[in-house]
Amino acid sequence: MTTLDLPGLLTDPATLENLSHDEAEWAPAGTPAAAFRPQSTEDVQAAVKACADQGIPIVPRGAGTGLSGGANATDGCLVLDLSRMNRIVEIDPDNLLAVVQPGVVNDDLQKAVAAQGLWYPPDPASSPWSTIGGNVATNAGGLCCLKYGVTRDYVLGLEVVMGGPVAYGTAVKLGRRTNKGVAGYDLTSLLVGSEGTLGVVTEITLRLRPAPRPSATVVGAFASLVDAGRAVALCTRRGLQPAALELIDRACLQAVEDWKHLGIEPDTEAMLLARAETSEDADGLTAAFTDAGAVWTERSTDSAEAEALFAARRLTYPALERLGPLLTEDVCVPRSAVPVMLARIEEIGARHGVQIATIAHAGDGNLHPLLITPPGDDNARIAAQAAFEDIITEALALGGTVTGEHGVGLLKRDGMIRELGPDVCSIQQSIKNTLDPLNLFNPGKA
């Protein structure tokens, strides 16, 4: 039993079980001592100070939509559920910025700023559920990041409850509200993507953009994943700049259609979905798809039709999750290596006897092979884990990275060490030791 004196402390076992893990069902999770739902920065400060005094680790979480185990509890920890800190503090159209608490849902922010003719571009597939705080923790990307950048590109400043060089429980302001600023080390960027290991984010100042341009949708269907990958490489080589360029294979489309009946019947092995904001890019994408061997291509300005296709892309993960335990990869390779990496993923699946369905932010080389196993099949699970590691090995061999947007969490710790090497890992550990000498914040995560 915890001795923490915090109002509304949660200790019910069923509640703690629900709050002890994210969506990475293959990542281990411990048993927390308690959970706490702060509603203000002051509540977070009180929790951090109390935990520091008693040596109780803190695991922050948002909506729990992560796919790497980054929000999974450790034994005896306090889970800090930030979902009730969900206020949009300010939208400033004159300076193109917004200030939000970490529990604000991505889509809710999108709608609020759209009402003022503005746009917040980072749009992970989980945007209807994921929170801005969680997006900051993992430096989330999304469908539009190909042209418009990832979360880090839009974070101007943070309020963070920290420890180490300051007393545990101190709220510090990092960054700025101005468009430019280079005073001191860029601690804001350091915290973005740190997965809650350096402090607890309690407020975020975000850069906004004017509302996006109207776009056309270009769709290409391909006889193989590798052909689709060649089309992606060709688009890059020709200097095209779509706002989004997504890949979905037949298995993903079929799973979504079987579940939601959107009227999208897959008739080829892979499909590329692109958003083009200029007629030149739309023409160029159509030509590139055709030249790369597309079975057919279509170009449309019908927003309803386009939304149905992109909805299928966003629904892929939950649709496949219905089929059995799912192990989700998140490797990223140089864009020219996309066709090679797709071929190697197919070979790895065949060699291990593992069903792999693939979606991708193909335009920036961020691939999400989804490894599906039958429920209760331990041998299939072992084979999937071996395939998971082989995919990481091949991505690194092609000059890629073990995670493009999901984060390291628990699933990618070994892969991160392989990628970065001992010297860089030592530097990173020294930063953690300096900013969190008690190892209080999200211990055990990379």
Side-chain angles (χ1 to χ4, degrees), residues 72-94:
N72 283 16
T74 56
D75 288 337
C77 75
L78 175 71
V79 171
L80 205 58
D81 176 4
L82 299 163
S83 60
R84 291 188 179 176
M85 293 182 66
N86 58 2
R87 189 163 62 94
I88 298 175
V89 178
E90 176 187 3
I91 298 174
D92 181 349
D94 293 331

Side-chain angles (χ1 to χ4, degrees), residues 380-398:
R381 189 180 183 92
I382 292 169
Q385 288 171 324
F388 183 88
E389 294 302 323
D390 283 356
I391 291 171
I392 289 174
T393 297
E394 294 298 338
L396 294 177
L398 291 171

Side-chain angles (χ1 to χ4, degrees), residues 76-443:
C77 75
L78 175 71
V79 171
L80 205 58
D81 176 4
L82 299 163
S83 60
R84 291 188 179 176
M85 293 182 66
N86 58 2
R87 189 163 62 94
I88 298 175
V89 178
E90 176 187 3
I91 298 174
D92 181 349
D94 293 331
N95 292 300
L96 294 176
L97 64 83
V99 180
V100 304
Q101 291 183 314
V104 171
V105 171
N106 185 294
D107 267 12
D108 291 345
L109 175 63
Q110 301 266 10
K111 293 171 186 173
V113 301
Q116 300 197 34
L118 302 172
W119 182 35
Y120 176 65
D123 61 340
S126 60
S127 63
W129 314 284
S130 65
T131 61
I132 298 297
N135 294 170
V136 168
T138 59
N139 190 25
L143 278 63
C144 290
C145 67
L146 169 61
K147 186 171 184 177
Y148 290 102
V150 296
T151 300
R152 181 178 283 115
D153 298 309
Y154 292 88
V155 178
L156 289 168
L158 297 169
E159 179 184 75
V160 190
V161 177
M162 301 183 73
V166 296
Y168 275 89
T170 302
V172 298
K173 294 277 191 178
L174 306 175
R176 62 194 193 278
R177 289 174 64 98
T178 55
N179 194 47
K180 296 170 65 178
V182 292
Y185 295 127
D186 189 356
L187 299 179
T188 304
S189 291
L190 174 65
L191 266 290
V192 178
S194 64
E195 302 185 36
T197 60
L198 302 177
V200 181
V201 173
T202 53
E203 192 173 86
I204 305 136
T205 301
L206 296 167
R207 187 194 312 273
L208 303 176
R209 298 179 64 99
R213 305 173 184 175
S215 60
T217 301
V218 180
V219 183
F222 296 85
S224 72
L225 272 179
V226 175
D227 285 347
R230 291 193 186 105
V232 172
L234 185 57
C235 290
T236 300
R237 191 157 57 246
R238 291 181 176 178
L240 302 175
Q241 290 189 305
L245 181 54
E246 298 291 305
L247 180 148
I248 317 176
D249 75 1
R250 179 197 285 269
C252 295
L253 283 171
Q254 192 64 60
V256 172
E257 181 60 27
D258 291 344
W259 181 31
K260 291 295 186 180
H261 307 294
L262 299 177
I264 303 171
E265 293 292 343
D267 59 358
T268 52
E269 289 305 309
M271 185 178 289
L272 288 178
L273 309 177
R275 281 189 178 135
E277 294 179 331
T278 68
S279 58
E280 291 81 8
D281 275 337
D283 291 341
L285 288 162
T286 302
F289 290 1
T290 301
D291 292 347
V295 176
W296 55 261
T297 61
E298 287 187 9
R299 176 177 169 179
S300 173
T301 56
D302 185 325
S303 59
E305 182 180 57
E307 188 51 42
L309 289 168
F310 281 96
R313 165 63 181 86
R314 293 182 184 279
L315 289 168
T316 296
Y317 185 83
L320 288 168
E321 205 173 24
R322 298 168 64 247
L323 304 180
L326 202 61
L327 183 56
T328 306
E329 265 289 10
D330 172 39
V331 293
C332 191
V333 297
R335 287 178 286 190
S336 61
V338 167
V340 176
M341 188 65 211
L342 288 170
R344 293 185 184 180
I345 289 169
E346 288 190 314
E347 185 276 326
I348 288 168
R351 174 156 42 89
H352 289 282
V354 175
Q355 181 185 359
I356 301 179
T358 300
I359 52 175
H361 304 305
D364 57 14
N366 191 185
L367 310 179
H368 298 317
L370 306 168
L371 292 77
I372 307 164
T373 59
D377 189 332
D378 290 339
N379 289 332
R381 189 180 183 92
I382 292 169
Q385 288 171 324
F388 183 88
E389 294 302 323
D390 283 356
I391 291 171
I392 289 174
T393 297
E394 294 298 338
L396 294 177
L398 291 171
T401 178
V402 300
T403 175
E405 60 184 2
H406 292 170
V408 174
L410 294 171
L411 291 181
K412 294 297 183 77
R413 286 186 305 180
D414 291 343
M416 184 199 73
I417 292 168
R418 290 164 56 193
E419 177 182 338
L420 299 183
D423 291 342
V424 173
C425 286
S426 178
I427 293 168
Q428 297 215 20
Q429 186 61 54
S430 71
I431 293 171
K432 167 71 170 173
N433 294 343
T434 299
L435 298 184
D436 182 21
L438 297 181
N439 196 24
L440 194 77
F441 298 117
N442 214 5

